[in-house]
Amino acid sequence: MQKIHIVGLVMIAVAVGVLISMMSDVVNYSNFEEAISTQSRVKVVGVLSKDKPMEYNPQKDANYFSFYMKDDNGLEKQVILNQSKPQDFEMSEQIVVTGSMKNDAFVADEILLKCPSKYKDEEIYLKKEQQKI
Amino acid sequence: MEYIGEHLLPGQIGRLLIVFSFVCSILSALAYFLGTQRRDLPEATSWKNIGRVSFGLHGISVLSIIGIIFYIMTQRYYEYQYVWAHVNDDLPYRYLASAFWEGQEGSFLLWMFWHVILGALLIWKAKNWESPVMTVMALAQILIGSMLLGLHFGSGEWEFKIGSNPLLLLRDTMQAPVFANADYLSLIKGTGLNPLLQNYWMTIHPPTLFLGFASTVVPFAYAVAGYWTKQYKAWLKPVMPWALFSGAILGTGILMGGAWAYEALSFGGYWAWDPVENMSLVPWLLLVAGIHTNLIARNTGYSIRATYLFYALCFVFILYSTFLTRSGILGETSVHAFTEMGLENQLLLLIMVFLGITVYQFFKNYKSVPTPEKEEATPTKEFWMFIGALVLLFSSALITVSTSLPVYNKIVEVFNPDHVAVTIQDAVEHHNKYQLWIAVLIGILSGFTQLLRFKERNWKNYMPKFTKHVLASALIAGVFTYLSTLWLTIVAWQHLLLMFTAIFGVIANLDYLILFIRGNLKIAGSAFAHIGFGLMIVGAIASGLNKHHISSNPFAQRGLLDEKLLDKNVLIFKNMPMFMSGYKVTYQNDTLIGNERVFNIKYEKMDQDGNVIEAFSVRPVALYNNEVTKVAAFNPSTKHYLHKDIFTHIANLPEVEADIEARHRMEDSLKFVSHKSLIGDTIFTEKFFGIIDDIVRNPEHSEYEKEENDIAIGLKMTFRRPGFEQGWKAEPMLVLRKNLVYSFPAQINDLGVRVKLPEEIFARVFDLDQKLDYESFTLKEGENVHFNGSKIVFTGFNPNPEKSDYIKQEKDIAVGARINIEDAEGQAWYAEPIYLIRGNQPFNLKDEVAQLGLHFKFLEIDPKTQTVKLGIAQAEQEDQLIPLQITEDALRSDYIVLETIIFPGINFFWVGSIMMMLGLLASMFHRRKFA
């Protein structure tokens, strides 16, 4: 057996080990129900509840933004983000937040927005429309 | 329907050329293929020539297609979908190229463009290798070119398309009522380039990155050519400079992306382990691994198969990365992927074709590839270099697996629709955790392997020298690691180890550079590249591990949130200095230039006694969309030092400043109280009182840009708080421009007072005059008349009259009449109407004493008798009143939310990365001579 084969086998063994350990970083996209029951850090996918209030008052606290989000199962919870309000937040089609439940709110420190593409549903800009403004 | 004003010819030529270039690439691939298969026959040269000519025609067509698209873009032919989607009338010429490759079709063309250039170079330089190498190149062009065909087959559920044509007409791609109008072109305008991409980085980053992408096909093509023609060793030499070139350019392209993100976008860093970044890094890692095994194979004859595999995988992973970024599959995990275009299957086919070739050739030739009889000895350069290449492969595999989870989800969903998608919890933490060990291994290996020798035959004699140098390097690295802890906070032993191994790599390579190759710069490329890598890691530890926010407000109440979630942002008001971490930070002002609002923020570093020891300003930007109605993004501004950067960006603006709709909503929601007042009288609001000081005919406002034929009216006002001396100025204004009225309210943020002018003010100023009945009087200097109980004295001329509504022009002859008035109560007033001759035309500019309702006109002047003719009129008190609206509940809008991050030692990262790329380029020029 050549040395290089031994090295190869060792590397494969390490690779398998590392891949298995990597699985611990892999999580399911979760929902609020799980977040409540486990109280641990999870990623929740959902949509913005546009009828509920959004709060961002930087004069009070520039790192506090709160909104309501409905997860994929339809459960609605308040989400508190300790960042400033992201750009184009209202336009988001889908939101992914990472964090955990505290009391009755989901406290998140990471947020990813999926925004509609530039072309979809876009109306043709009319010069006339522009002149009205 | 006959449409008016369309330019159909460029599109027709372009669409024809797309098909023609596609056919030519097929022809070229076939001819080169046959030229290779029949290379031993006399006809081979003819096949090669056919291949050349058809590739040439293909190249000319591609260049022409690009030329046509640029042409229709410069002409703003919005009848073309691609032009409409990426250009608008305001787009400056310098961003035309960015607009061209903003879209998928344009970026495919950019890719093909580089393939054409590289193909031309290969035809010129590749000699015997031309036919097989160009077969692969032409095949790549067929598959990429098919992305532009835009052919549709079938219908309904079974409809599928091949490619997306960049030269389609807008009316063919979209259904809108506007197309019912034959003159629809006069009604539409382009949507323009995304403001985020209106940036010089967008001009230089994509062409560099795509040259990097495109160039990876060459090493792959040589590998295929070597196996195909059974010249298993011969290809290893000519491929080397190409692989080094590709490594340098692709690496530069990736780093440029990082620099762009750091310098101009608000990502707050240069690397975020985003899937798009990862999947451009992986091919580069594989390419670098291939360069190493290539070197082994050239020097010792080992690792030919590995080299083949690395170069092939590099290209396949370029295609895989293209698939990931362009198929829309990354939607949930990446911030900057393209959106779906329906080309997924075609992209998959692209991968499968080249993966198929790789797998087929690799196994078919497995046994035929020559390998040295004896296995390599352990204390040799080739052995440890190979280990290093395996480490890179390992790194690529880890990154690929984690990044491909969205693909895994998609596949599982096909079989199990109830599958709950999986993802990585914290991507940055995850990748750092594993890649740290890769970097540790690379640091160690790049250090001591450099000091080893190929085909070591006399290890016994060499070992003491080797050991001595390695130990010395380790010792010096240890000292530097200790020193680094005095500068940085490094707590975890893993990070200390990483710092040590990175420095060890640097020192050992310096040692190699100075004591082994004696500074021979010709062959110093590898030493430079490895030193560069070490410095990059040092920079990454310093700036990544020790980056810290200084924009935190220690007084904020944070009951609800975790301690570890530090405050990142702080709110500062205009002209109210804020103290943070030893700096006094002042938001001084902001100006709107085009669609960029540039903020001027001053930093003053204070010592313990409060003295300013250093002052500088940064200018972060709020970037508005093309219509300047809404903030699209915030761009940072960074103060660079040698040892650190201070990175400043605006995290947020008051909503009313960021979004014009929010401002309208706010304006509508405020309860304005209407007032009417005379100039000089006091207006009492609930909490304050204000006085109109004057009416201004040429008012100024920070947001008002004067245009010709504007009619503008403004007020000068002063507000006071009862019992306080201090006065706050407010100057609201109103503009009449082409029958539209624009209001520019004034806000006093300290009081929450906002004043706006209603349209009636125009009536008050302009219509009033028509109601007046002027009585004329001829007066000499010093004479007086009595008018409605006031004594009016003409006291003399003013040869240099100054008035707010009089803008002096050259050749004006203007004179003012000084008029003193004493009213019935004995109070004195003053007025000065102006008589003006401009271009032989007499004008008069009236004046008024608003409190008395007296209006004066300077009607005539008689130089002989030294008399003036004055028109005097008395207005009704009701008509003199100035209407205005005031609210006291306006929210402050003079603040910004600021994020400031210090990145220590980030220059190590940039210097290191530049050294690495220069090292690769230097090696390329060195190897080129051998080739």
Side-chain angles (χ1 to χ4, degrees):
Chain A
M1 201 171 184
Q2 289 187 1
K3 266 193 305 286
I4 209 76
H5 292 150
I6 299 169
V7 171
L9 284 178
V10 170
M11 301 233 18
I12 289 167
V14 173
V16 170
V18 170
L19 283 177
I20 289 169
S21 88
M22 261 169 63
M23 297 313 288
S24 66
D25 285 355
V26 174
V27 293
N28 285 333
Y29 281 109
S30 186
N31 50 43
F32 285 133
E33 204 184 318
E34 262 181 44
I36 294 164
S37 63
T38 60
Q39 290 289 314
S40 57
R41 193 175 148 78
V42 288
K43 263 186 154 68
V44 180
V45 188
V47 290
L48 176 66
S49 308
K50 293 199 171 146
D51 51 333
K52 290 280 174 67
M54 261 183 269
E55 193 195 330
Y56 182 62
N57 184 357
Q59 299 197 51
K60 222 168 88 192
D61 187 343
N63 296 292
Y64 181 96
F65 171 49
S66 120
F67 59 97
Y68 283 83
M69 183 177 115
K70 215 176 248 167
D71 71 8
D72 285 350
N73 296 340
L75 188 61
E76 192 175 60
K77 284 285 162 203
Q78 189 189 14
V79 178
I80 294 167
L81 184 70
N82 77 324
Q83 287 173 14
S84 63
K85 184 178 164 186
Q87 273 308 300
D88 280 341
F89 184 78
E90 292 88 346
M91 281 171 64
S92 64
E93 283 178 337
Q94 194 185 47
I95 304 171
V96 185
V97 283
T98 313
S100 54
M101 293 300 292
K102 289 260 160 70
N103 302 326
D104 201 35
F106 187 84
V107 178
D109 55 78
E110 219 184 273
I111 189 162
L112 200 106
L113 303 175
K114 191 177 179 185
C115 286
S117 93
K118 196 183 155 193
Y119 312 109
K120 236 194 218 164
D121 309 323
E122 200 169 40
E123 297 293 316
I124 292 194
Y125 283 76
L126 294 176
K127 277 184 189 165
K128 272 186 192 161
E129 286 293 313
Q130 289 289 310
Q131 281 167 0
K132 265 186 219 156
I133 298 168
Chain B
M1 187 187 303
E2 276 291 309
Y3 290 104
I4 300 167
E6 287 185 334
H7 305 79
L8 300 177
L9 188 65
Q12 285 158 352
I13 300 174
R15 285 192 297 272
L16 198 70
L17 282 173
I18 287 175
V19 177
F20 182 68
S21 78
F22 182 68
V23 173
C24 284
S25 58
I26 294 177
L27 197 62
S28 174
L30 271 177
Y32 274 128
F33 176 81
L34 291 169
T36 312
Q37 287 295 54
R38 304 177 183 181
R39 57 188 171 281
D40 302 325
L41 304 175
E43 62 183 275
T45 321
S46 313
W47 286 122
K48 188 167 86 175
N49 287 337
I50 297 174
R52 272 186 186 184
V53 170
S54 34
F55 193 83
L57 289 173
H58 164 77
I60 291 166
S61 317
V62 169
L63 296 181
S64 310
I65 297 162
I66 293 172
I68 287 171
I69 295 178
F70 266 98
Y71 172 73
I72 59 176
M73 278 180 146
T74 53
Q75 299 300 314
R76 313 294 203 252
Y77 288 163
Y78 297 128
E79 55 267 44
Y80 293 98
Q81 190 271 340
Y82 203 76
V83 179
W84 171 79
H86 301 287
V87 179
N88 65 2
D89 287 346
D90 306 329
L91 189 74
Y93 270 87
R94 63 178 186 279
Y95 295 136
L96 215 59
S98 310
F100 170 75
W101 47 65
E102 185 197 18
Q104 291 223 33
E105 297 89 340
S107 61
F108 277 129
L109 274 167
L110 178 60
W111 194 350
M112 291 177 76
F113 167 80
W114 286 125
H115 274 173
V116 167
I117 302 291
L118 295 170
L121 269 175
L122 283 166
I123 290 174
W124 179 32
K125 286 279 181 191
K127 299 193 181 85
N128 294 333
W129 292 102
E130 181 183 333
S131 286
V133 166
M134 287 303 292
T135 311
V136 179
M137 180 68 99
L139 181 61
Q141 289 296 76
I142 297 173
L143 288 161
I144 301 173
S146 75
M147 305 284 175
L148 303 175
L149 285 177
L151 300 175
H152 288 254
F153 296 99
S155 61
E157 219 176 302
W158 293 100
E159 187 186 359
F160 64 99
K161 66 170 185 176
I162 297 179
S164 169
N165 195 312
L167 285 160
L168 293 181
L169 294 176
L170 184 59
R171 57 181 159 88
D172 291 335
T173 53
M174 201 179 290
Q175 293 192 334
V178 70
F179 299 121
N181 187 336
D183 191 23
Y184 76 97
L185 275 178
S186 65
L187 300 174
I188 61 172
K189 60 190 203 102
T191 54
L193 179 63
N194 183 341
L196 263 178
L197 304 178
Q198 293 181 21
N199 185 302
Y200 71 96
W201 286 104
M202 182 62 185
T203 311
I204 57 172
H205 170 63
T208 313
L209 190 68
F210 273 93
L211 177 56
F213 279 4
S215 61
T216 58
V217 77
V218 185
F220 171 69
Y222 268 103
V224 170
Y227 268 42
W228 187 3
T229 58
K230 313 281 179 212
Q231 306 176 69
Y232 296 110
K233 282 188 166 174
W235 68 281
L236 293 166
K237 192 167 143 185
V239 75
M240 197 87 193
W242 285 103
L244 286 162
F245 171 77
S246 193
I249 302 296
L250 182 57
T252 307
I254 296 168
L255 286 163
M256 267 184 182
W260 178 5
Y262 177 69
E263 272 297 311
L265 302 172
S266 50
F267 291 10
Y270 44 84
W271 194 259
W273 293 112
D274 183 275
V276 172
E277 298 168 354
N278 294 351
M279 290 324 291
S280 57
L281 177 65
V282 164
W284 186 81
L285 291 174
L286 293 166
L287 185 64
V288 171
I291 290 169
H292 283 84
T293 54
N294 195 345
L295 208 60
I296 299 171
R298 290 272 292 126
N299 280 292
T300 67
Y302 295 105
S303 303
I304 294 173
R305 285 190 289 243
T307 310
Y308 174 91
L309 218 50
F310 280 131
Y311 286 155
L313 282 180
C314 165
F315 183 61
V316 168
F317 270 89
I318 287 283
L319 302 176
Y320 181 59
S321 123
T322 307
F323 167 74
L324 284 185
T325 47
R326 287 166 189 261
S327 65
I329 206 166
L330 293 178
E332 277 167 21
T333 49
S334 171
V335 288
H336 48 216
F338 280 96
T339 46
E340 248 165 284
M341 275 193 73
L343 301 180
E344 299 77 38
N345 296 329
Q346 230 176 318
L347 287 162
L348 271 181
L349 178 76
L350 182 64
I351 301 173
M352 288 309 158
V353 167
F354 289 104
L355 187 62
I357 293 174
T358 306
V359 172
Y360 170 75
Q361 266 203 329
F362 183 76
F363 287 107
K364 184 169 174 278
N365 293 284
Y366 192 85
K367 288 265 159 61
S368 331
V369 177
T371 39
E373 291 282 306
K374 210 166 123 299
E375 69 167 313
E376 58 265 72
T378 318
T380 57
K381 205 168 198 163
E382 57 266 30
F383 181 79
W384 291 104
M385 263 172 89
F386 187 74
I387 301 290
L390 286 183
V391 170
L392 291 175
L393 175 68
F394 197 54
S395 164
S396 314
L398 293 184
I399 298 172
T400 306
V401 168
S402 309
T403 309
S404 300
L405 285 177
V407 179
Y408 165 81
N409 286 334
K410 267 268 151 52
I411 296 171
V412 177
E413 260 167 41
V414 172
F415 299 104
N416 171 17
D418 297 330
H419 168 71
V420 182
V422 295
T423 183
I424 300 284
Q425 178 88 276
D426 295 289
V428 173
E429 202 181 298
H430 165 82
H431 285 287
N432 282 343
K433 186 166 70 186
Y434 290 104
Q435 298 304 320
L436 180 138
W437 297 107
I438 303 290
V440 165
L441 290 175
I442 299 288
I444 299 172
L445 287 168
S446 74
F448 80 80
T449 309
Q450 193 70 279
L451 305 179
L452 287 168
R453 300 191 289 198
F454 280 119
K455 293 192 248 180
E456 181 63 64
R457 290 193 185 84
N458 202 347
W459 176 242
K460 276 216 174 87
N461 278 1
Y462 186 62
M463 194 181 73
K465 185 183 176 190
F466 171 79
T467 317
K468 200 172 76 191
H469 279 271
V470 168
L471 286 180
S473 297
L475 195 69
I476 297 170
V479 172
F480 274 106
T481 308
Y482 171 72
L483 291 176
S484 77
T485 60
L486 303 181
W487 170 45
L488 302 166
T489 320
I490 307 178
V491 183
W493 64 270
Q494 293 95 329
H495 294 135
L496 269 179
L497 178 66
L498 179 61
M499 183 59 110
F500 170 76
T501 54
I503 298 176
F504 170 73
V506 172
I507 302 290
N509 274 285
L510 269 178
D511 181 17
Y512 174 73
L513 183 66
I514 297 164
L515 294 176
F516 283 70
I517 59 172
R518 310 252 167 220
N520 182 350
L521 290 179
K522 274 189 203 153
I523 50 171
S526 97
F528 270 116
H530 289 113
I531 291 170
F533 174 79
L535 293 179
M536 264 177 89
I537 296 298
V538 172
I541 301 175
S543 61
L545 209 58
N546 275 289
K547 80 167 185 189
H548 52 278
H549 283 83
I550 60 170
S551 52
S552 57
N553 185 350
F555 307 112
Q557 291 293 314
R558 326 270 328 166
L560 194 58
L561 301 169
D562 284 347
E563 292 270 321
K564 69 162 184 150
L565 307 175
L566 290 167
D567 293 353
K568 290 175 178 163
N569 308 311
V570 71
L571 179 128
I572 56 176
F573 288 104
K574 197 174 198 163
N575 290 320
M576 280 169 67
M578 176 90 171
F579 289 88
M580 52 193 210
S581 308
Y583 288 92
K584 183 172 132 189
V585 183
T586 318
Y587 157 31
Q588 289 182 306
N589 53 52
D590 57 86
T591 34
L592 190 66
I593 306 165
N595 65 340
E596 293 188 343
R597 188 179 287 275
V598 183
F599 292 81
N600 213 339
I601 293 165
K602 189 174 180 190
Y603 283 76
E604 288 164 289
K605 192 169 189 172
M606 319 285 275
D607 65 9
Q608 298 204 325
D609 305 325
N611 302 315
V612 176
I613 44 178
E614 192 205 343
F616 61 89
S617 285
V618 292
R619 286 176 185 80
V621 167
L623 193 64
Y624 287 82
N625 60 8
N626 291 333
E627 291 79 32
V628 202
T629 54
K630 202 168 187 306
V631 170
F634 295 108
N635 291 349
S637 172
T638 303
K639 167 79 178 168
H640 299 279
Y641 294 88
L642 216 51
H643 66 293
K644 69 173 180 195
D645 277 3
I646 298 179
F647 170 97
T648 304
H649 101 109
I650 293 170
N652 224 307
L653 285 181
E655 213 183 357
V656 293
E657 297 292 328
D659 183 355
I660 205 155
E661 275 178 33
R663 179 180 296 202
H664 290 158
R665 277 201 305 275
M666 183 274 291
E667 207 72 46
D668 294 344
S669 72
L670 287 175
K671 287 194 190 76
F672 279 96
V673 180
S674 294
H675 295 267
K676 281 191 169 186
S677 171
L678 294 173
I679 293 179
D681 277 5
T682 305
I683 304 165
F684 291 94
T685 63
E686 274 178 33
K687 289 179 261 179
F688 311 106
F689 58 91
I691 296 169
I692 302 175
D693 299 321
D694 204 357
I695 294 184
V696 197
R697 308 294 173 96
N698 285 293
E700 288 178 358
H701 193 280
S702 62
E703 285 166 27
Y704 169 57
E705 280 177 54
K706 198 176 161 57
E707 282 185 21
E708 228 178 310
N709 299 325
D710 276 1
I711 298 171
I713 293 289
L715 289 186
K716 278 196 172 156
M717 299 188 70
T718 310
F719 279 82
R720 286 196 170 78
R721 193 197 293 259
F724 289 88
E725 264 301 294
Q726 193 193 349
W728 283 271
K729 297 280 177 199
E731 297 182 15
M733 62 175 284
L734 203 63
V735 175
L736 182 66
R737 179 182 292 167
K738 290 179 201 154
N739 301 325
L740 291 176
V741 176
Y742 299 85
S743 177
F744 295 89
Q747 180 154 337
I748 300 169
N749 280 302
D750 291 342
L751 305 180
V753 165
R754 192 172 173 86
V755 189
K756 67 176 181 183
L757 304 181
E759 283 181 39
E760 295 89 69
I761 194 163
F762 285 120
R764 155 64 181 82
V765 175
F766 299 112
D767 298 351
L768 174 61
D769 211 46
Q770 289 161 13
K771 286 191 197 166
L772 294 178
D773 213 359
Y774 282 95
E775 209 178 313
S776 59
F777 299 90
T778 309
L779 294 172
K780 265 192 176 170
E781 194 171 315
E783 284 185 344
N784 66 63
V785 289
H786 287 269
F787 187 85
N788 280 5
S790 297
K791 183 184 166 194
I792 292 158
V793 191
F794 167 53
T795 57
F797 294 101
N798 179 4
N800 293 306
E802 282 179 12
K803 243 176 131 230
S804 72
D805 53 347
Y806 169 52
I807 304 168
K808 206 173 168 151
Q809 285 187 6
E810 243 182 291
K811 293 184 187 167
D812 271 3
I813 301 170
V815 60
R818 300 180 200 271
I819 297 170
N820 285 355
I821 304 120
E822 193 185 313
D823 68 13
E825 275 103 54
Q827 203 176 340
W829 305 89
Y830 179 74
E832 191 183 314
I834 295 173
Y835 186 76
L836 165 70
I837 297 173
R838 179 176 288 171
N840 296 326
Q841 284 277 337
F843 294 94
N844 60 69
L845 302 173
K846 59 174 281 190
D847 199 1
E848 64 178 88
V849 178
Q851 287 84 348
L852 305 179
L854 284 179
H855 293 247
F856 298 91
K857 271 185 180 172
F858 189 160
L859 296 172
E860 270 171 34
I861 182 165
D862 188 344
K864 277 183 213 154
T865 54
Q866 291 279 311
T867 54
V868 295
K869 194 169 165 192
L870 294 178
I872 307 176
Q874 172 75 54
E876 298 289 323
Q877 171 136 23
E878 177 64 21
D879 294 335
Q880 280 291 123
L881 290 169
I882 297 167
L884 73 166
Q885 297 175 320
I886 304 174
T887 181
E888 292 174 308
D889 324 313
L891 285 171
R892 290 196 82 124
S893 61
D894 61 335
Y895 64 85
I896 52 177
V897 178
L898 201 70
E899 183 176 25
T900 303
I901 312 174
I902 294 201
F903 288 96
I906 194 165
N907 279 335
F908 276 113
F909 184 85
W910 299 123
V911 169
S913 54
I914 291 167
M915 270 183 84
M916 191 151 93
M917 297 310 135
L918 288 179
L920 283 164
L921 275 182
S923 301
M924 177 196 97
F925 281 107
H926 173 60
R927 299 271 159 193
R928 193 193 46 151
K929 285 178 203 142
F930 290 17

